Amino acid sequence: MKIMLISNDFCYVWLRLKLCWWNKKANRTQYCGSIFSLTDSVYSLILRGILGKQYFVWDTAAKIDFILTANSGLFVDFVISDACITEIIAATAEGNQYLPEFSVSVSKANNEVVAQVTRIFYVIKNCNIAQI
């Protein structure tokens, strides 16, 4: 995996996954675990970067739908809107937990989607980890 771009405000991250001998199955396609792990932790790191240390962000659930065979390098764009950040801040302002859900497409260079990944996060402000 290679980070191609991270925006200054952390609201956009672009990653690439090359098709290499170590992530290739016997049929010369991307190993499904590599595709799924490409999306692991990215949104939680983005949220931590935007919200800061006063928030606890935890990846709680994930689902992947494989759509096409991945027989080449892959790309994924992670985007979080200002509206989403505003919603998270408002929902957690009084110490309440919030469970935002993000969906991201993993695509070939020609924009063919090979997998759709959905991740759900646990976000809370000013939390002691012992409370969870």
Side-chain angles (χ1 to χ4, degrees), residues 2-3 10 15 26 45-46 62 86 88 106:
K2 180 176 181 179
I3 299 170
F10 297 108
L15 301 179
L45 291 171
I46 290 172
T86 301
I88 291 170
V106 179

Side-chain angles (χ1 to χ4, degrees), residues 14-18 30-40 43 63-70 72-78 103-119:
W14 180 36
L15 301 179
R16 178 184 74 192
L17 179 65
K18 285 186 175 181
Q30 289 275 8
Y31 172 63
C32 297
S34 294
I35 296 171
F36 196 49
S37 68
L38 179 63
T39 67
D40 193 22
Y43 275 119
K63 176 186 154 214
I64 188 165
D65 292 312
F66 295 103
I67 299 165
L68 291 176
T69 302
S72 66
L74 300 175
F75 297 89
V76 61
D77 295 300
F78 299 88
S103 185
V104 65
S105 299
V106 179
S107 304
K108 296 180 183 181
N110 64 2
N111 292 324
E112 285 184 298
V113 175
V114 300
Q116 189 68 36
V117 180
T118 303
R119 291 191 171 271

Side-chain angles (χ1 to χ4, degrees), residues 44-55:
S44 60
L45 291 171
I46 290 172
L47 288 171
R48 291 285 305 220
I50 294 169
L51 298 171
K53 293 180 181 179
Q54 63 191 13
Y55 285 83

Side-chain angles (χ1 to χ4, degrees), residues 14-31:
W14 180 36
L15 301 179
R16 178 184 74 192
L17 179 65
K18 285 186 175 181
L19 181 61
C20 301
W21 66 268
W22 61 81
N23 66 356
K24 192 185 305 183
K25 295 190 288 187
N27 64 1
R28 299 181 185 192
T29 62
Q30 289 275 8
Y31 172 63

Side-chain angles (χ1 to χ4, degrees), residues 94-107:
E94 295 183 22
N96 297 324
Q97 69 180 16
Y98 186 62
L99 302 172
E101 183 175 306
F102 298 97
S103 185
V104 65
S105 299
V106 179
S107 304

